[in-house]
Amino acid sequence: MSVPVCFVFRLSDVLCRADACFSSGNVQRSHDFRTGDAAFDQLDFDAIYHDSWTDSTNRAYIHDCRMAEVAVRNRLPLDGTLQGILFRTSWDMETFRYLLGEAGITCNYRMGVEQISSSLFMHEGLYLTDLTFSDDRLQMSFHFPLRHPAPENLYDVHAIQDCAAGRRLLNKQLKLDKPSFGITKYHPDGDAVWTIYLEKELAFRGRLQHARSQVFG
């Protein structure tokens, strides 16, 4: 998943539906979906909402409980239930907005960015944390993988700029061993559309505000 999103629902709007059901843990680990007040009262909410230190005696149990699920049979309508859409970074959000525009889709739901790191997303993979475009230079900052980094920090980077003057692109394997990396010789065009892939996964698509460098005396 190159650009993850988190859909935010009001729990009561979903859970109180006649076609809703719930589990006490991860359904893939032999938990069945349940319905009714009696079954709901048996849920271990201290474990389901556990968010602090634990030890080996109850770690597996708490991890399983935290995967408790709510499901709706057939289809859940978004109108009246979806409260908002949250993103890992502002660049993920702008990519989502741009892709909606390309597809001609109107989205009237509130959008926002995760405020506390790792409260919604795992933040373990490679993704962009910042983008700036000044003169002919594209500057990219990265969050590097926390597990299984690429050998010798070599990553596939594909940065395409499409504008009135034509297309400029970088498509090569780069050694990314610093938080930020700059690429030059792009067109200084603020209307350009950028498409960036990291390890062949979409990392950004959209426009970037263009700035010209200034020297102050």
Side-chain angles (χ1 to χ4, degrees):
M1 182 186 300
S2 58
V3 179
V5 300
C6 177
F7 293 102
V8 180
F9 297 90
R10 184 180 290 113
L11 182 60
S12 59
D13 291 343
V14 178
L15 191 59
C16 295
R17 292 174 58 91
D19 56 352
C21 52
F22 52 87
S23 72
S24 60
N26 191 332
V27 174
Q28 296 184 10
R29 295 178 181 175
S30 302
H31 288 274
D32 295 327
F33 279 117
R34 309 176 185 180
T35 59
D37 294 345
F40 188 78
D41 290 340
Q42 294 175 4
L43 297 178
D44 186 349
F45 287 102
D46 288 338
I48 289 174
Y49 289 105
H50 188 279
D51 193 24
S52 60
W53 182 87
T54 184
D55 57 38
S56 59
T57 61
N58 62 355
R59 182 176 295 121
Y61 171 74
I62 287 175
H63 183 268
D64 182 52
C65 288
R66 280 174 52 85
M67 300 295 287
E69 303 178 43
V70 176
V72 173
R73 295 182 181 90
N74 299 319
R75 186 173 184 177
L76 174 66
L78 298 184
D79 290 341
T81 59
L82 182 61
Q83 302 298 306
I85 307 173
L86 295 179
F87 299 85
R88 182 180 52 186
T89 69
S90 61
W91 308 109
D92 288 350
M93 182 170 66
E94 291 308 313
T95 296
F96 184 80
R97 284 175 169 164
Y98 190 84
L99 293 177
L100 286 176
E102 279 192 319
I105 298 173
T106 300
C107 180
N108 296 320
Y109 299 103
R110 291 181 295 175
M111 299 184 195
V113 177
E114 179 186 48
Q115 297 299 304
I116 302 175
S117 180
S118 299
S119 59
L120 295 173
F121 302 98
M122 293 184 69
H123 294 270
E124 293 194 356
L126 176 69
Y127 62 87
L128 293 167
T129 59
D130 197 13
L131 285 170
T132 57
F133 180 34
S134 178
D135 287 336
D136 67 343
R137 183 183 185 87
L138 175 68
Q139 192 77 20
M140 298 183 287
S141 297
F142 305 94
H143 176 280
F144 293 112
L146 300 182
R147 303 180 186 180
H148 312 297
E152 300 181 9
N153 295 318
L154 291 174
Y155 295 94
D156 289 322
V157 179
H158 194 182
I160 308 166
Q161 182 200 38
D162 288 303
C163 62
R167 168 174 282 197
R168 293 280 177 90
L169 63 87
L170 170 84
N171 185 14
K172 62 188 300 185
Q173 197 171 59
L174 298 174
K175 186 178 182 65
L176 302 179
D177 53 3
K178 296 180 180 179
S180 187
F181 180 83
I183 308 169
T184 58
K185 298 183 179 179
Y186 284 107
H187 297 292
D189 187 343
D191 292 325
V193 175
W194 295 86
T195 308
I196 301 173
Y197 294 92
L198 300 178
E199 293 291 272
K200 299 181 173 60
E201 293 290 344
L202 180 67
F204 175 77
R205 180 162 173 80
R207 290 185 170 86
L208 296 173
Q209 184 175 1
H210 181 254
R212 294 188 180 278
S213 298
Q214 296 182 2
V215 178
F216 296 91

